[in-house]
Amino acid sequence: MEARAKQSGVRQSARKMRLVIDLIRGRAVAEADAILRFSKKRAAQQIHKVLKSAVANAQQAAQRQNTPFDADALRVTYAVVNEGQTLKRFTAAAMGRGTPILKRTSHVEIHVAGVEAPPRAAPAAPQPAKAEAKAEAKGESRPRAKAKAKAKKAPAKKKKTTKKASK
């Protein structure tokens, strides 16, 4: 289940808001909520509102489809801040001139989706010994493979050498 929320025309620059949105991208909703609630940045308040709205939209979609809803299973899958319209104003400057003031705005968009539990894998079958596995791959019979494995494990006998007396 995926839900989204979008807020347009937030009166803060996109550059400042991206610093906060990068903190929550890809995280669980509960974790993202905690990060935004305790952040000192002003942008965190606006992003928190959008996140709550996306969770509420997911809950409403679940009710409409008559499916169970678990807010703890949601994850922030897509979070982006785009630039909005720039409001252009002017202020007085020296010698009768005007200097521009750019009041930047931004658009916040957040998508949340439920995390599906991965399918459980069947327990792995016990693996045969390495020598036996190699022998089976070569097509040798088991008794012969066991004999080869034992031969590899047994240490080789050392030859006794005698030193001849040198003159």
Side-chain angles (χ1 to χ4, degrees):
M1 160 105 20
E2 185 178 32
R4 66 187 182 110
K6 186 174 182 180
Q7 184 180 13
S8 299
V10 179
R11 284 292 310 272
Q12 192 165 17
S13 70
R15 184 176 180 181
K16 292 176 186 176
M17 294 193 78
R18 283 187 191 118
L19 294 172
V20 178
I21 205 92
D22 289 341
L23 297 174
I24 66 165
R25 191 175 293 121
R27 296 190 187 257
V29 168
E31 189 179 355
D33 183 49
I35 290 170
L36 294 174
R37 222 176 322 136
F38 296 110
S39 177
K40 292 180 181 180
K41 300 275 189 181
R42 186 177 143 240
Q45 293 175 342
Q46 295 296 327
I47 294 171
H48 188 250
K49 286 182 183 180
V50 179
L51 180 65
K52 283 181 12 182
S53 179
V55 171
N57 291 344
Q59 184 178 8
Q60 289 296 313
Q63 278 184 347
R64 269 186 255 119
Q65 295 175 1
N66 198 21
T67 58
F69 176 74
D70 183 19
D72 295 331
L74 292 178
R75 199 168 212 46
V76 178
T77 56
Y78 179 79
V80 69
V81 175
N82 295 318
E83 290 183 16
Q85 185 178 7
T86 301
L87 305 175
K88 295 173 177 79
R89 303 290 185 259
F90 290 92
T91 187
M95 294 189 283
R97 286 180 296 191
T99 57
I101 297 174
L102 302 177
K103 297 187 176 187
R104 300 183 187 276
T105 63
S106 54
H107 306 311
V108 182
E109 186 173 358
I110 295 178
H111 294 210
V112 294
V115 178
E116 296 176 11
R120 292 188 177 189
Q127 305 246 341
K130 288 183 180 179
E132 290 178 16
K134 286 181 183 177
E136 286 179 17
K138 290 181 182 178
E140 297 176 357
S141 64
R142 280 190 182 262
R144 188 170 178 191
K146 287 182 181 178
K148 277 188 176 180
K150 285 182 183 178
K152 284 184 181 179
K153 289 181 185 177
K157 293 182 181 179
K158 293 183 181 179
K159 292 182 179 179
K160 291 184 180 178
T161 58
T162 56
K163 291 185 181 180
K164 294 184 180 177
S166 58
K167 295 181 180 177

